[in-house]
Amino acid sequence: MKLNKLLFAILFLQFPAIAYAKDNGTPNIDFSKQVNPALAKEIYQQDQGLFNAFNAKDAEGVLHYFSEDLEFYHDTGGLSHYQQNVVNTGNLLSREDSPTRRLISEDFEVHPIKDFGAIQTGSHQFCHMANGKNDCGTFKFLHIWKKTDQGWKITRVVSYDH
């Protein structure tokens, strides 16, 4: 059974701090096939930092990547903003059965946004233990990343195909 939709409405409202911004091994991504290979690698590193914190249940690390003007669009959960995501992230990551996330590297794409940042699209899998079994679901996402003086920040999230 897939994770329930409410969990994912809450889940992607959670995302790692700079301390976590390291690769989880060698990615299965040919960056040379990306529109801008250097940018794609940089966004990949941000993605890994964000979700290393998520998988470590580090809410502060996750929130480090969110812009205070965040808008999070979830196909079944609706629209939420930064402050709602602060609460939801803390609640989700404090749960004993909080999920872990894995990027589906074959679907990873990055496109530049002139004088702003980047668009990241892809799929990812979230898993958690339910009734003694690993319960996983694969979903699509789009992140709008903004390059700021404080580093890369996610300003928009679209989470869909739940």
Side-chain angles (χ1 to χ4, degrees):
M1 175 177 13
K2 286 190 174 193
L3 289 171
N4 70 46
K5 292 179 183 184
L6 177 59
L7 176 62
F8 281 101
I10 295 170
L11 185 149
F12 216 95
L13 310 175
Q14 342 327 320
F15 297 122
I18 295 297
Y20 290 101
K22 63 181 188 332
D23 289 343
N24 282 338
T26 305
N28 187 21
I29 298 170
D30 183 353
F31 292 108
S32 70
K33 293 184 178 182
Q34 297 283 327
V35 172
N36 181 326
L39 178 63
K41 189 168 187 176
E42 193 170 356
I43 295 300
Y44 171 80
Q45 290 168 341
Q46 297 303 308
D47 177 275
Q48 291 301 288
L50 169 65
F51 286 102
N52 285 339
F54 182 87
N55 291 341
K57 299 183 178 190
D58 177 1
E60 284 186 41
V62 168
L63 295 171
H64 164 81
Y65 290 91
F66 289 161
S67 170
E68 290 189 8
D69 68 345
L70 175 72
E71 291 180 354
F72 188 107
Y73 300 89
H74 192 281
D75 60 351
T76 62
L79 171 64
S80 61
H81 295 89
Y82 178 80
Q83 208 50 47
Q84 294 160 298
N85 285 284
V86 169
V87 171
N88 292 341
T89 297
N91 289 342
L92 179 67
L93 297 183
S94 67
R95 294 174 47 151
E96 191 172 309
D97 66 340
S98 68
T100 57
R101 183 261 196 176
R102 181 181 68 85
L103 178 68
I104 308 298
S105 52
E106 301 83 39
D107 297 339
F108 176 84
E109 287 187 29
V110 173
H111 298 271
I113 302 174
K114 183 179 184 218
D115 300 327
F116 186 83
I119 299 167
Q120 175 192 3
T121 62
S123 301
H124 45 199
Q125 181 180 66
F126 289 92
C127 298
H128 79 290
M129 293 302 288
N131 300 319
K133 295 182 181 180
N134 208 16
D135 185 10
C136 299
T138 302
F139 310 98
K140 295 179 183 178
F141 71 93
L142 176 144
H143 291 166
I144 305 292
W145 290 88
K146 181 178 182 179
K147 182 85 176 216
T148 73
D149 292 340
Q150 295 78 40
W152 286 97
K153 301 290 182 183
I154 296 174
T155 62
R156 304 293 181 266
V157 173
V158 180
S159 182
Y160 60 102
D161 197 27
H162 291 91

